[in-house]
Amino acid sequence: MEASSSGITNGKNKVFHAEGGLDLQSHQLDMQILPDGPKSDVDFSEILNAIQETVRERNKSNGLYFRDGKCRIDYILVYRKSNPQTEKREVFERNIRAEGLQMEKESSLINSDIIFVKLHAPWEVLGRYAEQMNVRMPFRRKIYYLPRRYKFMSRIDKQISRFRRWLPKKPMRLDKETLPDLEENDCYTAPFSQQRIHHFIIHNKDTFFNNATRSRIVHHILQRIKYEEGKNKIGLNRLLTNGSYEAAFPLHEGSYRSKNSIKTHGAVNHRHLLYECWASWGVWYKYQPLDLVRRYFGEKIGLYFAWLGWYTGMLFPAAFIGLFVFLYGVTTLDHCQVSKEVCQATDIIMCPVCDKYCPFMRLSDSCVYAKVTHLFDNGATVFFAVFMAVWATVFLEFWKRRRAVIAYDWDLIDWEEEEEEIRPQFEAKYSKKERMNPISGKPEPYQAFTDKCSRLIVSASGIFFMICVVIAAVFGIVIYRVVTVSTFAAFKWALIRNNSQVATTGTAVCINFCIIMLLNVLYEKVALLLTNLEQPRTESEWENSFTLKMFLFQFVNLNSSTFYIAFFLGRFTGHPGAYLRLINRWRLEECHPSGCLIDLCMQMGIIMVLKQTWNNFMELGYPLIQNWWTRRKVRQEHGTERKINFPQWEKDYNLQPMNAYGLFDEYLEMILQFGFTTIFVAAFPLAPLLALLNNIIEIRLDAYKFVTQWRRPLASRAKDIGIWYGILEGIGILSVITNAFVIAITSDFIPRLVYAYKYGPCAGQGEAGQKCMVGYVNASLSVFRISDFENRSEPESDGSEFSGTPLKYCRYRDYRDPPHSLAPYGYTLQFWHVLAARLAFIIVFEHLVFCIKHLISYLIPDLPKDLRDRMRREKYLIQEMMYEAELERLQKERKERKKNGKAHHNEWP
């Protein structure tokens, strides 16, 4: 719906008021009825002038127009009079006027030092630059092609429609009567051309280009205006960087609140409509109005919310299966033979897990941990790992189809990156070297291959160095875990002393989280420096380069400790009497007697909850606090009455600016969450459920932030989610590998399987039930003679508190020969069987899952068949319509020539 001064009536006689806030329908109806009177001496020009004057007065008051009430504000620049960069601003503003933009200045009501520069683009400027930017505009209503239905399918549809009568009317969808009729979505579009302007649907030149498009065109102009003599002295971005201007933004379309209910009086403007139907917490269960989001914020932001909604919807089956795996562990807990044997093993004494201060302990003391481990590591874990690998593939393949439908509906199918403009920084840097563009045939700045390679090498070196910094931080966490486990074992409090390993893991995770948040600040600055050093050609290339660097830094930073716990913790510790040590001093940390999986679960749970909680606070809490503090200062200095009369540009200036990197933080948060949901999901099946609950909140939280707390971002076009899709595919491949290793190495699934089929009571019978696991715990523990301890690792206690006499032997998790054998503490045959089974499982699991993934990606086409047919038909109809429109134009010209008395032979030279 166009944001014009006229209203649009929807289904229940509700009127959607435009930004001017004036309902002209009653006046229009009166003007249609008055001529029908028998004696009407009314001067219609006077009525029209009165209506236009009323519109102008209302436009003046809402802060969306110039003082004359006619020219709509398309962009706002803000600066301070006390700023010394006066000469640059004057040259810049003089060149703005030379480009044809209209300008007005207003002082702030709060601070007279702040000046607002209001910009308006007339029709001539909009048309000229829309043609240069290849802005696609509607030129004919769409004619939809209905495929032929078979009788059998029509009967099924009738039966389904009868069944639907008993159900609520689409509770997940928004009421169409509440939303405006977005007419441009039902029109064919083409790049705007002034020569073919007669092809386009132009009811009103003031509303032909919507607000988002007008702002985008003005921003495009401002990015290429000089502020000093010289080729590199151009662009609004440089003026914002050097402080000449404080802010630059398009205006919101009025307030997002209204005194009247939207159900009875309709929406005041698009922002109010988005707040009620999208950003309100009461509609958390409904689908998003993506067409309206795209119209107000642009295609790039619309695609982000479309992807986020699709991802959240796809998490439902993953969360359900993950919850089922967890509940399966709960229901089978009482029947788990392994946890039973651990809880009943009061006579098995385990060796100390650290030097000197750690005491001997009964295996039954880890009964709780064994039960918790079974909740996540049970018979359904392998199935869930395969399911999540397949789920990731299905999610990406069906997103391709969903994106294709959205791209068709939003007219992005034919939009290519060649239409994207060159970055002003690149243009200024390489303006002396030009070459012909092979596509457009026009000269453009050119970056030499040697220059590009040298910059990429420096950038790659910087990335490698920062990854080394992350690994060094992880090494510091490892040293902390090694040192503090002995400290907690000697603690005075019995609770911490008896749970020294859990306390070590918990504190290490919290410290690791703090290091992650601190390093993130450093990574952002380094990534920005390296990306600017590369000098990307377009904005999309800059975003892709910056995104890849930040993702690598963040991913390594966030997951390095998790990889250490999953694959290295307790794997290279040696055995009692011959422990491996760090710098020949600290004994490497061992796993808990119940296994290493409990440490991995704690790591993932704490990081995932803390990370998402912190991100939600920073996304919404920080802008809320900042905006509240600004309102409080204004209230204290000027009172509450003056705040009501603030114009829209003043209100928007007091809001928080959008992140300088656009949607990067939003995407990064979700991509990292996707990694947690898939990469180590075999160790933490509840990850999809936590992600689902977070995303349901995240959608409305982001919507509320965009609509109410942030200045309106500049609308920009995009065909898809960019480089993030390739990152998602990489995470999907990595998840298959990591889950295979987690099940084979971290989990006890393979050792239990080998025992059941080879060494247990059912050996050779082809069975693997719970009865076949009798004796597994005793078979998985080796025996150590206490007199063989090293001097520095010999415990202070002699273990007499267990049986009244000093202990001679203790047990530890490993497959080694007893001390009285021919080869003391050598690997047993069972160890080699388990190792071979683990390697075989990794190979079979990976090949099987990858085959399934490739088969699914092959079977699911990227374009739905009905969409492919609609696209082909559209191309055919567009050719027909263009031919008919051109024929009509030629016939009109011929008729005009006949009327003017021109002969046919005079038409040709």
Side-chain angles (χ1 to χ4, degrees):
M1 183 187 58
E2 297 295 340
S4 62
S5 59
S6 61
I8 296 178
T9 307
N10 53 26
K12 295 183 180 179
N13 297 324
K14 295 180 289 188
V15 178
F16 177 88
H17 300 283
E19 291 80 4
L22 181 66
D23 179 13
L24 296 181
Q25 281 199 337
S26 58
H27 297 288
Q28 293 172 352
L29 290 174
D30 291 341
M31 292 176 66
Q32 293 174 2
I33 295 172
L34 280 172
D36 295 337
K39 295 178 180 180
S40 178
D41 297 330
V42 180
D43 189 350
F44 296 108
S45 61
E46 292 182 2
I47 295 177
L48 185 60
N49 290 335
I51 294 174
Q52 291 176 349
E53 187 64 28
T54 307
V55 173
R56 291 170 191 165
E57 292 298 325
R58 187 64 61 88
N59 290 342
K60 291 179 185 178
S61 63
N62 63 16
L64 299 175
Y65 291 81
F66 278 15
R67 298 188 194 100
D68 58 4
K70 295 180 181 179
C71 299
R72 181 176 182 86
I73 300 173
D74 297 322
Y75 212 78
I76 292 289
L77 302 177
V78 186
Y79 70 90
R80 292 182 180 270
K81 289 191 292 185
S82 59
N83 191 289
Q85 306 282 353
T86 306
E87 185 178 351
K88 294 180 180 179
R89 284 196 306 271
E90 289 178 353
V91 175
F92 189 70
E93 291 171 5
R94 186 165 61 248
N95 291 331
I96 287 176
R97 294 189 183 96
E99 288 291 335
L101 298 179
Q102 298 178 11
M103 183 187 302
E104 267 189 4
K105 293 188 178 182
E106 294 278 355
S107 297
S108 171
L109 299 179
I110 301 174
N111 187 352
S112 59
D113 187 43
I114 298 176
I115 303 298
F116 295 96
V117 181
K118 300 178 288 184
L119 300 178
H120 168 75
W123 168 258
E124 294 77 13
V125 177
L126 292 172
R128 184 171 71 252
Y129 277 95
E131 187 171 0
Q132 292 181 13
M133 297 170 62
N134 292 316
V135 177
R136 303 184 71 88
M137 301 304 296
F139 69 88
R140 188 67 65 89
R141 299 281 296 180
K142 281 185 179 180
I143 303 174
Y144 290 102
Y145 171 71
L146 297 177
R148 183 166 58 92
R149 306 285 296 192
Y150 296 97
K151 292 183 178 180
F152 177 73
M153 295 301 296
S154 61
R155 291 174 185 173
I156 294 178
D157 289 341
K158 288 181 181 179
Q159 297 296 329
I160 293 175
S161 61
R162 289 178 183 176
F163 175 72
R164 283 178 177 172
R165 294 175 186 174
W166 300 94
L167 299 175
K169 278 191 174 182
K170 297 181 179 179
M172 301 291 290
R173 297 189 180 275
L174 292 164
D175 188 2
K176 288 186 178 180
E177 296 177 353
T178 308
L179 296 173
D181 181 19
L182 299 173
E183 294 181 355
E184 65 180 27
N185 289 340
D186 295 327
C187 293
Y188 297 118
T189 62
F192 182 77
S193 172
Q194 291 181 327
Q195 294 181 350
R196 297 183 177 181
I197 196 171
H198 53 277
H199 290 309
F200 297 93
I201 305 173
I202 305 178
H203 298 302
N204 186 348
K205 289 185 176 181
D206 294 333
T207 59
F208 178 63
F209 296 102
N210 61 34
N211 300 331
T213 304
R214 296 173 69 98
S215 301
R216 185 157 58 94
I217 293 174
V218 173
H219 180 78
H220 172 85
I221 297 172
L222 296 178
Q223 288 291 82
R224 281 150 181 80
I225 292 180
K226 291 185 178 181
Y227 61 85
E228 279 186 11
E229 289 300 326
K231 290 189 176 181
N232 60 344
K233 304 293 184 180
I234 61 171
L236 177 62
N237 285 347
R238 289 181 176 268
L239 292 175
L240 291 171
T241 303
N242 63 30
S244 299
Y245 288 99
E246 284 202 348
F249 53 88
L251 288 179
H252 278 295
E253 298 181 359
S255 175
Y256 63 89
R257 295 184 184 274
S258 177
K259 297 179 181 178
N260 303 316
S261 173
I262 191 174
K263 295 182 180 179
T264 57
H265 292 75
V268 178
N269 50 55
H270 284 120
R271 190 186 184 194
H272 180 215
L273 187 62
L274 282 170
Y275 177 76
E276 294 290 340
C277 299
W278 182 49
S280 175
W281 297 102
V283 294
W284 64 271
Y285 60 94
K286 291 184 178 291
Y287 293 118
Q288 303 177 84
L290 294 176
D291 289 333
L292 191 60
V293 175
R294 169 246 183 171
R295 180 182 177 83
Y296 193 83
F297 292 110
E299 286 81 2
K300 181 175 286 188
I301 294 177
L303 273 171
Y304 163 71
F305 282 103
W307 176 83
L308 181 57
W310 183 257
Y311 171 46
T312 304
M314 289 293 290
L315 277 174
F316 274 96
F320 175 78
I321 300 297
L323 183 62
F324 170 77
V325 172
F326 179 77
L327 294 178
Y328 174 79
V330 173
T331 55
T332 59
L333 184 60
D334 295 335
H335 306 286
C336 179
Q337 180 65 30
V338 177
S339 60
K340 281 182 182 179
E341 290 186 0
V342 171
C343 294
Q344 296 171 1
T346 56
D347 56 337
I348 296 179
I349 308 302
M350 302 297 295
C351 298
V353 295
C354 66
D355 294 335
K356 291 187 177 181
Y357 301 108
C358 291
F360 295 98
M361 60 181 295
R362 288 189 175 93
L363 181 60
S364 59
D365 293 341
S366 57
C367 174
V368 175
Y369 302 114
K371 290 183 177 179
V372 173
T373 301
H374 177 74
L375 299 180
F376 301 102
D377 184 15
N378 51 63
T381 303
V382 177
F383 160 76
F384 186 58
V386 175
F387 170 81
M388 286 304 297
V390 174
W391 172 87
T393 303
V394 171
F395 161 66
L396 293 175
E397 291 300 321
F398 275 96
W399 164 247
K400 286 183 185 178
R401 296 166 62 87
R402 174 63 176 158
R403 187 205 62 81
V405 174
I406 292 174
Y408 173 79
D409 291 338
W410 291 357
D411 206 27
L412 298 170
I413 293 292
D414 297 327
W415 185 82
E416 299 292 342
E417 290 187 0
E418 284 79 9
E419 302 177 22
E420 191 177 4
E421 303 87 9
I422 298 175
R423 293 177 69 239
Q425 293 84 353
F426 182 90
E427 198 170 0
K429 177 73 175 177
Y430 299 102
S431 57
K432 295 181 180 179
K433 298 180 180 179
E434 292 186 347
R435 73 168 183 177
M436 298 296 292
N437 187 311
I439 298 174
S440 63
K442 298 178 181 178
E444 64 177 10
Y446 169 68
Q447 183 182 16
F449 178 76
T450 55
D451 180 72
K452 186 174 184 178
C453 285
S454 60
R455 291 176 180 274
L456 287 176
I457 291 172
V458 174
S459 178
S461 302
I463 295 172
F464 178 75
F465 174 76
M466 292 307 300
I467 291 177
C468 291
V469 171
V470 177
I471 296 174
V474 175
F475 187 73
I477 295 295
V478 172
I479 294 177
Y480 168 83
R481 294 172 66 103
V482 168
V483 173
T484 54
V485 67
S486 300
T487 305
F488 284 131
F491 218 72
K492 294 181 179 180
W493 295 349
L495 179 64
I496 296 179
R497 186 173 63 250
N498 296 334
N499 300 277
S500 58
Q501 283 189 299
V502 177
T504 301
T505 302
T507 55
V509 170
C510 294
I511 294 173
N512 183 38
F513 175 75
C514 295
I515 293 176
I516 287 171
M517 302 311 295
L518 290 175
L519 288 178
N520 285 345
V521 180
L522 176 63
Y523 295 153
E524 182 177 329
K525 295 181 179 179
V526 173
L528 183 62
L529 176 65
L530 294 177
T531 306
N532 289 331
L533 179 66
E534 291 178 8
Q535 288 291 350
R537 179 176 175 274
T538 62
E539 287 295 334
S540 62
E541 290 180 4
W542 189 95
E543 289 182 5
N544 291 342
S545 178
F546 179 78
T547 297
L548 183 60
K549 293 178 181 59
M550 281 297 293
F551 171 75
L552 287 175
F553 293 157
Q554 294 267 18
F555 182 81
V556 175
N557 190 21
L558 195 64
N559 293 282
S560 52
S561 295
T562 310
F563 272 90
Y564 164 74
I565 293 175
F567 304 128
F568 297 98
L569 178 63
R571 303 283 176 256
F572 309 101
T573 57
H575 62 87
Y579 287 118
L580 298 178
R581 296 182 180 274
L582 194 64
I583 321 179
N584 199 26
R585 180 177 180 182
W586 294 297
R587 172 181 162 185
L588 293 176
E589 188 180 4
E590 292 187 32
C591 292
H592 197 272
S594 60
C596 292
L597 201 67
I598 189 69
D599 294 325
L600 185 59
C601 292
M602 287 183 61
Q603 173 82 8
M604 290 191 61
I606 293 175
I607 290 292
M608 196 168 184
V609 172
L610 286 179
K611 181 73 175 174
Q612 293 183 159
T613 304
W614 176 259
N615 287 337
N616 290 339
F617 169 75
M618 291 302 295
E619 284 185 12
L620 184 61
Y622 181 76
L624 278 174
I625 293 173
Q626 290 288 331
N627 292 334
W628 170 81
W629 184 255
T630 302
R631 291 193 300 269
R632 182 175 178 272
K633 287 171 60 179
V634 172
R635 198 180 302 115
Q636 289 178 350
E637 296 176 4
H638 303 278
T640 56
E641 296 181 358
R642 196 168 185 184
K643 176 180 176 293
I644 300 174
N645 298 323
F646 283 168
Q648 189 62 41
W649 58 79
E650 191 97 32
K651 297 177 183 177
D652 287 3
Y653 177 68
N654 291 328
L655 297 177
Q656 295 301 305
M658 185 181 176
N659 192 316
Y661 310 121
L663 294 168
F664 170 77
D665 286 340
E666 280 71 23
Y667 271 119
L668 180 64
E669 178 187 357
M670 292 296 103
I671 298 299
L672 292 176
Q673 182 203 85
F674 180 80
F676 267 101
T677 307
T678 54
I679 291 178
F680 293 104
V681 73
F684 194 60
L686 291 179
L689 180 61
L690 294 179
L692 173 63
L693 297 177
N694 175 80
N695 287 8
I696 292 174
I697 300 173
E698 181 76 20
I699 291 176
R700 305 303 161 181
L701 186 147
D702 282 348
Y704 183 83
K705 176 180 61 180
F706 272 91
V707 174
T708 67
Q709 301 302 311
W710 277 1
R711 297 172 191 163
R712 186 176 182 177
L714 182 71
S716 55
R717 291 172 69 84
K719 193 174 183 179
D720 51 25
I721 61 176
I723 196 174
W724 294 111
Y725 184 83
I727 292 174
L728 287 171
E729 285 188 324
I731 291 176
I733 295 172
L734 181 62
S735 67
V736 177
I737 301 172
T738 53
N739 282 308
F741 275 88
V742 166
I743 296 172
I745 297 176
T746 312
S747 168
D748 285 339
F749 174 77
I750 299 299
R752 293 176 186 178
L753 210 61
V754 171
Y755 179 82
Y757 284 100
K758 184 68 177 177
Y759 296 96
C762 304
Q765 301 178 13
E767 298 181 11
Q770 291 299 326
K771 64 178 182 178
C772 301
M773 297 303 298
V774 175
Y776 167 76
V777 172
N778 186 61
S780 63
L781 298 175
S782 298
V783 179
F784 178 73
R785 188 164 47 206
I786 295 176
S787 60
D788 293 340
F789 267 123
E790 299 172 303
N791 291 332
R792 53 181 171 178
S793 60
E794 187 175 358
E796 293 183 343
S797 173
D798 59 0
S800 58
E801 64 270 15
F802 296 103
S803 59
T805 59
L807 290 175
K808 294 183 179 180
Y809 298 97
C810 64
R811 309 293 294 274
Y812 61 99
R813 283 176 57 95
D814 209 342
Y815 297 100
R816 292 183 180 271
D817 292 323
H820 51 76
S821 63
L822 295 177
Y825 307 120
Y827 287 118
T828 62
L829 184 62
Q830 187 174 357
F831 168 82
W832 299 108
H833 285 161
V834 170
L835 180 62
R838 282 173 169 169
L839 296 177
F841 175 82
I842 291 173
I843 295 172
V844 172
F845 181 89
E846 288 182 355
H847 283 71
L848 175 64
V849 175
F850 277 131
C851 288
I852 296 175
K853 286 169 67 72
H854 287 302
L855 179 63
I856 290 175
S857 61
Y858 174 77
L859 293 177
I860 300 177
D862 294 345
L863 281 178
K865 186 178 182 303
D866 58 340
L867 177 61
R868 188 182 296 109
D869 294 340
R870 287 166 62 187
M871 291 170 59
R872 291 175 179 172
R873 180 167 176 79
E874 178 178 327
K875 289 182 179 180
Y876 169 77
L877 291 176
I878 287 176
Q879 292 176 356
E880 291 292 322
M881 286 186 290
M882 296 293 286
Y883 172 76
E884 292 174 1
E886 195 68 25
L887 188 62
E888 290 177 3
R889 185 181 66 83
L890 293 174
Q891 290 176 351
K892 287 181 181 179
E893 290 180 357
R894 180 178 296 179
K895 290 180 181 178
E896 289 178 359
R897 289 192 179 97
K898 285 184 178 180
K899 288 181 181 180
N900 295 333
K902 291 185 178 181
H904 291 283
H905 64 270
N906 292 332
E907 296 178 4
W908 301 93

